[in-house]
Amino acid sequence: MKTKSIIIAATILFSICSLSANPTRSTLTFLDANGRTLIQPIMGEETYETLPFEVAAVFQSIRTERAYRVYDLTELTKPEAEEELPFDLDKVFQETVKNK
C-alpha cells in the first residue's frame, strides 16, 4: 500500500513539474525530497503547414487499402449439417407420378 501511494505522489509531482515547463527555457529542472536536482533538456516541437507529397500518398494508400480490404470468413463459418428426411423421397415421387 505504501508503494502505491509513493508511486502516485511521484507521478503527481512529475506531472506538476512537466506542466510548469517554460518553453522559452532549454532545460527542465526536477527536485526530489533529498535535494537532488535532475536537469532535462527541452526540445521544441516543429510544426509543418503542409505534408510532403510522399506522406500524403502513403496516407491515401492506407485509406484505400482499409476501405477495400476483403475479409475471408471461410475458416470461421461451417456449412450446415444436412438432416435426414422423415420420409422416403423416392416413394413420394413415385406416388405423385402414379396419381397424375
Side-chain angles (χ1 to χ4, degrees):
M1 192 65 178
K2 289 181 182 180
T3 307
K4 189 176 183 179
S5 61
I6 290 172
I7 291 173
I8 292 172
T11 305
I12 291 172
L13 287 175
F14 181 78
S15 64
I16 290 171
C17 290
S18 62
L19 288 175
S20 65
N22 189 356
T24 58
R25 295 188 305 189
S26 61
T27 60
L28 181 63
T29 306
F30 296 100
L31 299 172
D32 65 354
N34 295 330
R36 294 179 291 197
T37 304
L38 171 68
I39 300 174
Q40 184 175 0
I42 299 174
M43 190 165 136
E45 181 179 338
E46 298 177 13
T47 58
Y48 296 102
E49 291 182 10
T50 58
L51 293 174
F53 175 75
E54 294 83 17
V55 176
V58 169
F59 281 142
Q60 185 64 28
S61 68
I62 290 172
R63 281 186 184 165
T64 55
E65 178 185 338
R66 287 185 182 170
Y68 297 112
R69 182 180 298 160
V70 177
Y71 293 101
D72 184 21
L73 300 177
T74 56
E75 296 178 3
L76 302 175
T77 58
K78 295 181 182 177
E80 294 182 8
E82 294 184 14
E83 298 178 5
E84 291 292 326
L85 294 175
F87 51 88
D88 188 16
L89 194 57
D90 290 331
K91 288 182 182 178
V92 172
F93 284 143
Q94 289 174 0
E95 289 176 9
T96 56
V97 171
K98 286 181 185 178
N99 292 335
K100 280 188 173 186

